[in-house]
Amino acid sequence: MTAALCLRRRMTGAGPVRKVRGFALFAAIAILVILAGLGAFIVSVTGLQSQSTGLDVLGTRALLAARAGIEWNMFLIQNPEDAIQAGGPITAPYTCPAAATNLNFGGVLANFTVTVSCTPATPPTPPNPTATEAGNAVRVYEIFATACNFPDGGGACPNNAAANPSYVERQIRVLTETCRPPSGASC
């Protein structure tokens, strides 16, 4: 019977069954291309994630630098006798500097500049920002601290012309007050 089958195939013109070649090669190339694309996607997402993490760290450092600038100016306001080194009690209220002060720190904040400005707040009466409470002079101050990692040409923050993609800026605004009895000592 097998001989008859072989004869029939030959007689009908159908040749021997051929194996399909090349399909496995095409499938392997397709799988490699898909895996390469997936790998490139993973690498780009990982790169963006690490860049985002780096900017988060810079933002946190800028916030800490701005907070350090606030703390520095609050110390000057709250303790003028320690900051100014005057002889005797301070009877005049602390006066804010006319111009903003640029501060630079060391350590992890070494790449940041903080611009701190102080103005007497005027809730009591605009010409006299000192109010009297129980015989004590109370004065309110408003402090602005702006920290950035690429200050402008004058060394101040903010830098509105910064074109660096790693530019980070944080600003803090604080109200604080001092209380002084007529003797000049702290309340």
Side-chain angles (χ1 to χ4, degrees):
M1 213 165 161
T2 57
L5 285 176
C6 285
L7 287 174
R8 259 191 211 161
R9 278 193 198 166
R10 286 185 192 161
M11 291 168 75
T12 60
V17 178
R18 293 185 179 175
K19 293 182 180 178
V20 179
R21 294 184 186 183
F23 179 74
L25 180 63
F26 175 73
I29 289 173
I31 289 173
L32 284 176
V33 168
I34 290 170
L35 288 176
L38 185 61
F41 174 74
I42 290 172
V43 166
S44 69
V45 167
T46 304
L48 288 174
Q49 184 179 8
S50 70
Q51 183 181 11
S52 174
T53 302
L55 287 174
D56 283 345
V57 168
L58 286 176
T60 301
R61 288 180 180 170
L63 184 63
L64 291 173
R67 187 171 176 175
I70 292 287
E71 296 286 333
W72 171 79
N73 208 349
M74 284 182 70
F75 173 78
L76 294 178
I77 292 170
Q78 299 294 331
N79 306 300
E81 52 275 329
D82 293 334
I84 300 171
Q85 300 296 327
I90 304 289
T91 55
Y94 175 79
T95 54
C96 295
T101 305
N102 294 325
L103 304 172
N104 293 307
F105 302 105
V108 296
L109 302 179
N111 294 333
F112 289 91
T113 298
V114 182
T115 302
V116 182
S117 63
C118 168
T119 57
T122 56
T125 56
N128 181 13
T130 303
T132 304
E133 184 176 295
N136 299 322
V138 177
R139 191 168 184 148
V140 180
Y141 300 89
E142 186 174 32
I143 306 168
F144 288 98
T146 305
C148 66
N149 56 348
F150 294 103
D152 65 7
C157 293
N159 185 355
N160 296 327
N164 192 320
S166 297
Y167 176 77
V168 178
E169 171 188 313
R170 296 293 183 269
Q171 186 177 58
I172 299 176
R173 175 183 168 251
V174 173
L175 290 172
T176 187
E177 48 86 3
T178 60
C179 175
R180 297 280 173 175
S183 67
S186 245
C187 292

